[in-house]
Amino acid sequence: MPDTFEALSTNHQLRAINDALSDGDFVLVQAKLRSLAPCDVALLLESSHSRIRTEIWQLIEPELYSDVLEELSEDVRNGIIRNMLPEKLADALEEMDTDDLVETLSSLPEAISQDLLASMDEQDRLRAQQGLSYGEETAGFIMNTDAITLRPEISVEVFLRYLRLKGQIPENTDTFYVVDREDKLIGGVALTKLVTAAADTKVDTLIKSSEAIPVNMPDNEVASLFERYDWLSAPVVDENNRLVGRITIDDVVDIIREDAEHSMMSMAGLDDEEDTFAPVVKSTQRRTIWLGVNLFTALMAAAVSDLFEAALSQLAVLAILNTIVPSMGGAAGNQTLTLVIRGMALGHVSANNARWLITKELAIGFLNGIIWSILIASVIALWKQDLMLGAVIAFAMLINMIAAGLAGATLPMIMKKLNIDPALAGSVILTTITDVVGIFAFLGTASWLLL
Amino acid sequence: MPDTFEALSTNHQLRAINDALSDGDFVLVQAKLRSLAPCDVALLLESSHSRIRTEIWQLIEPELYSDVLEELSEDVRNGIIRNMLPEKLADALEEMDTDDLVETLSSLPEAISQDLLASMDEQDRLRAQQGLSYGEETAGFIMNTDAITLRPEISVEVFLRYLRLKGQIPENTDTFYVVDREDKLIGGVALTKLVTAAADTKVDTLIKSSEAIPVNMPDNEVASLFERYDWLSAPVVDENNRLVGRITIDDVVDIIREDAEHSMMSMAGLDDEEDTFAPVVKSTQRRTIWLGVNLFTALMAAAVSDLFEAALSQLAVLAILNTIVPSMGGAAGNQTLTLVIRGMALGHVSANNARWLITKELAIGFLNGIIWSILIASVIALWKQDLMLGAVIAFAMLINMIAAGLAGATLPMIMKKLNIDPALAGSVILTTITDVVGIFAFLGTASWLLL
């Protein structure tokens, strides 16, 4: 009987372990840890306070180290690795799949990773160095080197006999790769085709024209190819079309999530890998630059208001209403910005349709401007019993909504051209624009018409 | 020879098709469309203006309709379906996999989907109705019903012979399911195990203890199980443990991306499915509620400032600096909010560590408060040559940064308890809190100490 739903109870298990830990009942903790899958141990570590992480780690069986480390996010993993004895760490690394080994090494400080490489055996050192040579965030970096290859001229029967002799197939294998004598890729043969074909079929007749991924392709492009073509795995080739490895969907899933999260995290000024339970001082440091940038833009907005000191000191109501127009511009601009950033990530926005998209967002800004101008004019006319003041704020609102649409649509495109990450810097620049335009439009018109 | 990198050139193909369309060379467009994979046709449609979409659609071969519709996002798909002839649409739907069929039907207006169901043949209608009965965003809704099953007592040889006779295996099949005579699930057998086992092995000895997904499990939980355990497929069972279908990784990948995007889109007040190239009026309507909510909160902040009219009319400098403290509180609170929302989505934040997390964010708020208080006090003291004013804004900053940390950490937890989506409403409520607290702290302290 299968467990109909072991995983559902993971949360309870985590709570039980936490309770046992706080009771100091380490024997019970160890017993419970032994019953968990490595990914669940990783989840437990990720969900724990950094001090408790160290306690839990000491209770994990050393043979699980590599499996658990593979599942952890960079920040948490590095925190643990820093407290491990070098020889235990080297043992754990040698047991990792190539892609995880390479990722782990590259995220460590240079000195530590060099020491570790030196202490590994020849074969592991070579596969690690090979992977590291491709550079982070490329296909070569995330591939595994465990692909099973075959020659075009052999028959299905012979190959299936070979597999049975081999006795084991690397996990997540759905395709075997047909290569020539120089290891050049001819194509892929699906395992499902092999088992449904007649025994004497030559494998080259079963090849599906499978695309190959160049070893230096950026990993987010790899991910969108997997997503678009529903691949389970894909071969990786070097510049001479020689097969060097394969990428499997389980590694791509992580990239898809990270890419999708990247925009959200960046837009709030957070690092993708930010660990929810990192120590206070570390988190404060990480978030502080963003707040500094924000303070600078807030001071800029204040400096714009400062230009209108005369108007503000004559009419306190201007001071009271001064935040409304910038706030609406920021909200509307942020909608456009988010939509365009996502559109670019999905590959929907390109030079072909950029102009049309900008026109569209300008039109939406204009329409929204009209709607909210009328509404705010009515509210202010009623609240402050001043029709002219209503007209002034309505005019400023319209101007700022159009500016917001324009800025929201063009900023990400300009930043992409300049190779700046739009998700990281876009919203701060956008808010500065909508603040400055909004304050200028409102206080400027007011100074001109109301004083 | 494989195409070493057909997909890379997709962008060029899209441009060529756009050019041919604007030249009115429909024959060329048709020829080019025929050379594209369905997912690339879908990408072309998604990247096009709604008017051009209709033109392109008319040039696609009808036998590709179902494959292309499957790949489109809800908004774009429904736009196209509304212009299709009912009989052509019914034909296209009948060719779809169950999960895509069910999803498409459920996203259409009730009247249309009922008509379509009525015009389908018996078998397709039944599988559609079955899927629809599970309710949106559940395992039953996204599963396929094409799993191959086998009995525990047969041998590997017999089963492989059966597969060869069958001649075809549904795509993305990595596991076959062993069931008893009542269709109750016993477990899964991996295809890789079957081909490496000795011919006379009984399949029940090859079963890996595979978990089963209950048919009513929410699809985001399904996705996180796939992500955590690196599954390629998983069986779905009803409440009696009877196998009713299977879920494959390609459908889960879409859910993972949508879930990850959901937070970003919601935080900007956008619908997940918002089509980048929707008509202007439709987009304006969709974004307008969010802007209304934002206007309401901006008016609330203005109402708070209004309470301090006396102070503002006496000291125009207060009006000038009034936006700085709310802005910093908003930025800091938004960092915390984003981090906690992501932590909850990944399953890292739970009742076990909530209190600790809140304490941590309060401490970060306090530390950030100290840092930025000192800085802003120095800037203001220098700029406005007023030490006391610097002290006032510093105090307000400290208060608001602590409030921001507290609100950012607790809001998503409270909202989750109340079953409100924290990504959708969290940032608006947060900004209201940091605006109100910031203005109260700054203008209140200023009224008390400076007048």
Side-chain angles (χ1 to χ4, degrees):
Chain A
M1 283 289 293
D3 307 307
T4 335
F5 233 139
E6 193 194 289
L8 264 183
S9 60
T10 304
N11 243 320
H12 297 277
Q13 292 175 332
L14 299 192
R15 188 158 329 149
I17 290 178
N18 271 321
D19 290 346
L21 265 177
S22 42
D23 294 349
D25 187 348
F26 297 125
V27 180
L28 182 61
V29 175
Q30 232 166 353
K32 286 199 177 290
L33 285 173
R34 228 167 299 156
S35 72
L36 289 179
C39 57
D40 291 322
V41 177
L43 182 66
L44 176 70
L45 288 166
E46 296 265 6
S47 313
S48 302
H49 196 314
S50 43
R51 191 168 34 75
I52 293 181
R53 275 179 199 152
T54 322
E55 287 181 21
I56 296 175
W57 188 255
Q58 285 161 355
L59 299 171
I60 296 173
E61 311 277 321
E63 51 272 31
L64 281 180
Y65 283 172
S66 66
D67 291 335
V68 176
L69 285 174
E70 284 181 10
E71 303 282 341
L72 290 173
S73 68
E74 187 176 318
D75 249 33
V76 177
R77 188 178 58 216
N78 287 359
I80 287 173
I81 283 180
R82 227 160 278 144
N83 295 319
M84 281 176 78
L85 291 174
E87 54 271 35
K88 286 213 173 161
L89 180 54
D91 287 348
L93 290 178
E94 286 181 357
E95 275 168 44
M96 285 185 179
D97 285 341
T98 306
D99 57 342
D100 296 307
L101 169 61
V102 168
E103 200 212 324
T104 306
L105 282 174
S106 75
S107 68
L108 290 171
E110 185 73 15
I112 299 184
S113 65
Q114 287 305 328
D115 279 358
L116 283 169
L117 275 172
S119 69
M120 285 178 164
D121 69 36
E122 174 102 16
Q123 199 195 341
D124 289 313
R125 183 167 61 244
L126 282 179
R127 73 188 170 108
Q129 281 169 335
Q130 181 67 41
L132 285 168
S133 74
Y134 295 119
E136 269 185 74
E137 303 190 354
T138 64
F141 203 78
I142 56 168
M143 73 185 185
N144 269 314
T145 48
D146 57 4
I148 294 183
T149 57
L150 63 167
R151 286 289 151 74
E153 64 276 6
I154 70 167
S155 72
V156 166
E157 191 176 15
V158 171
F159 184 63
L160 287 178
R161 207 180 312 130
Y162 162 74
L163 286 182
R164 198 161 292 139
L165 273 172
K166 206 170 142 58
Q168 220 181 5
I169 299 178
E171 55 175 347
N172 293 348
T173 295
D174 68 313
T175 304
F176 302 98
Y177 299 107
V178 182
V179 293
D180 67 12
R181 243 164 305 167
E182 289 172 301
D183 258 356
K184 289 193 180 169
L185 180 69
I186 299 171
V189 175
L191 178 52
T192 51
K193 287 273 177 238
L194 288 167
V195 295
T196 49
D200 57 351
T201 318
K202 291 265 175 291
V203 294
D204 61 357
T205 63
L206 300 176
I207 289 176
K208 49 171 187 188
S209 89
S210 86
E211 283 101 354
I213 290 179
V215 72
N216 54 0
M217 177 180 256
D219 63 3
N220 57 347
E221 283 181 32
V222 174
S224 60
L225 289 171
F226 267 79
E227 226 180 320
R228 197 163 355 137
Y229 296 100
D230 289 347
W231 291 338
L232 294 183
S233 66
V236 181
V237 293
D238 67 11
E239 60 276 20
N240 300 317
N241 196 33
R242 246 192 297 262
L243 183 75
V244 289
R246 66 177 186 125
I247 294 177
T248 50
I249 181 76
D250 53 314
D251 299 311
V252 173
V253 162
D254 297 339
I255 295 167
I256 290 173
R257 172 169 291 282
E258 280 161 23
D259 270 7
E261 274 179 355
H262 168 79
S263 304
M264 176 175 86
M265 297 290 275
S266 299
M267 286 177 90
L270 295 166
D271 193 297
D272 302 10
E273 287 282 334
E274 171 124 13
D275 158 17
T276 320
F277 301 95
V280 170
V281 174
K282 195 169 165 199
S283 298
T284 307
Q285 280 174 345
R286 283 204 162 174
R287 299 193 208 165
T288 218
I289 299 168
W290 177 258
L291 292 173
V293 174
N294 188 72
L295 182 62
F296 179 75
T297 70
L299 283 170
M300 266 185 65
V304 176
S305 292
D306 198 49
L307 298 174
F308 299 96
E309 190 170 358
L312 287 167
S313 61
Q314 281 176 60
L315 280 173
V317 71
L318 297 182
I320 292 164
L321 305 179
N322 195 21
T323 52
I324 295 175
V325 173
S327 158
M328 287 296 279
N334 208 37
Q335 289 187 323
T336 305
L337 185 81
T338 305
L339 202 68
V340 176
I341 288 176
R342 193 194 56 151
M344 294 195 327
L346 294 178
H348 296 169
V349 176
S350 65
N352 301 326
N353 47 31
R355 223 171 74 195
W356 185 78
L357 185 62
I358 294 169
T359 317
K360 181 200 150 187
E361 290 297 329
L362 270 175
I364 294 175
F366 180 75
L367 264 187
N368 269 325
I370 298 283
I371 294 169
W372 300 109
S373 289
I374 294 172
L375 207 91
I376 191 73
S378 322
V379 170
I380 299 303
L382 285 174
W383 181 21
K384 293 293 173 189
Q385 297 292 322
D386 187 340
L387 269 179
M388 200 59 198
L389 183 62
V392 165
I393 200 169
F395 173 74
M397 181 78 85
L398 181 60
I399 297 293
N400 206 26
M401 293 301 251
I402 296 172
L406 184 64
T410 51
L411 267 178
M413 299 179 189
I414 295 170
M415 299 181 80
K416 205 182 169 186
K417 277 231 165 107
L418 300 174
N419 263 324
I420 305 172
D421 178 5
L424 185 60
S427 64
V428 139
I429 300 180
L430 176 91
T431 316
T432 311
I433 293 172
T434 50
D435 277 359
V436 169
V437 172
I439 295 173
F440 253 114
F442 178 59
L443 295 183
T445 323
S447 307
W448 180 40
L449 292 178
L450 300 181
L451 295 187
Chain B
M1 281 289 294
D3 309 307
T4 333
F5 231 135
E6 193 194 290
L8 263 183
S9 60
T10 304
N11 242 321
H12 298 278
Q13 291 176 333
L14 299 191
R15 190 159 326 149
I17 290 180
N18 270 321
D19 291 346
L21 265 178
S22 42
D23 294 348
D25 188 350
F26 297 126
V27 180
L28 182 63
V29 175
Q30 234 168 354
K32 285 198 177 293
L33 284 173
R34 228 168 297 155
S35 73
L36 289 180
C39 57
D40 291 322
V41 178
L43 182 65
L44 176 69
L45 288 165
E46 296 265 6
S47 313
S48 302
H49 198 312
S50 41
R51 192 168 34 74
I52 294 182
R53 274 180 200 151
T54 322
E55 289 181 20
I56 296 175
W57 188 256
Q58 285 162 355
L59 300 170
I60 296 174
E61 311 276 324
E63 51 273 32
L64 281 179
Y65 283 172
S66 67
D67 290 337
V68 176
L69 285 174
E70 284 181 10
E71 303 280 340
L72 289 173
S73 69
E74 187 177 317
D75 250 32
V76 177
R77 188 179 58 217
N78 288 358
I80 286 173
I81 283 181
R82 227 159 278 144
N83 296 320
M84 281 176 80
L85 292 174
E87 53 271 35
K88 285 212 173 162
L89 181 53
D91 287 350
L93 291 178
E94 286 181 359
E95 274 168 45
M96 284 186 180
D97 285 341
T98 306
D99 56 342
D100 295 307
L101 169 61
V102 168
E103 200 210 326
T104 306
L105 282 175
S106 74
S107 68
L108 289 171
E110 185 71 13
I112 301 184
S113 64
Q114 286 306 326
D115 279 359
L116 283 169
L117 274 172
S119 69
M120 285 179 165
D121 69 35
E122 172 103 16
Q123 198 194 342
D124 287 315
R125 185 168 59 244
L126 282 178
R127 71 188 172 108
Q129 282 170 334
Q130 180 68 38
L132 286 168
S133 73
Y134 295 120
E136 270 186 71
E137 304 191 352
T138 64
F141 203 78
I142 56 169
M143 73 184 184
N144 269 314
T145 47
D146 57 4
I148 294 181
T149 57
L150 65 166
R151 286 289 153 75
E153 65 276 8
I154 70 168
S155 72
V156 166
E157 191 176 15
V158 170
F159 184 63
L160 288 178
R161 208 181 310 130
Y162 161 75
L163 286 181
R164 198 160 292 139
L165 274 171
K166 202 170 145 57
Q168 221 181 4
I169 298 178
E171 56 176 347
N172 293 349
T173 295
D174 69 312
T175 303
F176 303 98
Y177 299 107
V178 182
V179 293
D180 66 13
R181 244 163 304 165
E182 290 172 299
D183 259 355
K184 290 195 178 167
L185 181 69
I186 300 171
V189 175
L191 178 53
T192 50
K193 287 275 177 233
L194 288 167
V195 296
T196 49
D200 59 350
T201 317
K202 291 267 172 289
V203 294
D204 62 355
T205 63
L206 299 176
I207 290 176
K208 51 174 184 183
S209 89
S210 86
E211 283 100 355
I213 291 179
V215 73
N216 55 0
M217 177 180 254
D219 62 4
N220 59 348
E221 281 180 35
V222 174
S224 62
L225 288 172
F226 267 81
E227 225 181 321
R228 197 164 353 140
Y229 295 102
D230 290 346
W231 291 339
L232 294 183
S233 66
V236 181
V237 293
D238 67 10
E239 61 278 18
N240 300 317
N241 198 34
R242 248 192 297 260
L243 184 75
V244 289
R246 65 178 188 125
I247 295 177
T248 52
I249 182 77
D250 54 315
D251 298 311
V252 173
V253 162
D254 297 337
I255 295 166
I256 290 172
R257 172 170 291 284
E258 281 162 23
D259 270 7
E261 274 179 354
H262 167 79
S263 304
M264 178 176 82
M265 298 290 275
S266 299
M267 285 178 91
L270 296 165
D271 194 298
D272 301 11
E273 286 283 333
E274 172 125 12
D275 160 15
T276 320
F277 301 94
V280 171
V281 174
K282 194 168 165 200
S283 298
T284 308
Q285 280 174 345
R286 282 205 162 175
R287 299 193 207 166
T288 217
I289 298 168
W290 177 258
L291 293 174
V293 174
N294 189 70
L295 181 62
F296 180 76
T297 70
L299 283 170
M300 266 186 64
V304 175
S305 292
D306 198 49
L307 298 175
F308 299 96
E309 192 172 355
L312 289 166
S313 62
Q314 281 178 58
L315 280 173
V317 71
L318 296 183
I320 293 163
L321 305 180
N322 195 20
T323 52
I324 295 176
V325 173
S327 158
M328 288 295 280
N334 208 36
Q335 289 188 322
T336 305
L337 185 80
T338 305
L339 202 69
V340 175
I341 287 175
R342 192 193 60 149
M344 292 193 331
L346 295 178
H348 295 171
V349 176
S350 64
N352 301 325
N353 48 32
R355 221 168 78 194
W356 185 75
L357 184 62
I358 294 169
T359 317
K360 181 199 150 185
E361 291 298 328
L362 270 175
I364 295 174
F366 180 76
L367 264 186
N368 269 325
I370 297 283
I371 295 169
W372 301 109
S373 289
I374 294 173
L375 209 91
I376 192 70
S378 321
V379 170
I380 298 305
L382 286 173
W383 182 22
K384 294 293 172 186
Q385 297 291 323
D386 186 338
L387 269 178
M388 199 59 197
L389 183 62
V392 166
I393 199 169
F395 174 73
M397 182 79 85
L398 181 60
I399 296 294
N400 206 24
M401 294 300 252
I402 296 172
L406 184 62
T410 51
L411 266 178
M413 299 178 189
I414 295 170
M415 299 180 80
K416 204 179 168 190
K417 278 233 165 107
L418 300 175
N419 264 323
I420 305 171
D421 178 4
L424 184 60
S427 64
V428 141
I429 300 180
L430 177 91
T431 317
T432 311
I433 293 173
T434 50
D435 278 0
V436 170
V437 172
I439 296 173
F440 253 115
F442 178 57
L443 295 183
T445 323
S447 307
W448 179 42
L449 291 177
L450 301 180
L451 297 188

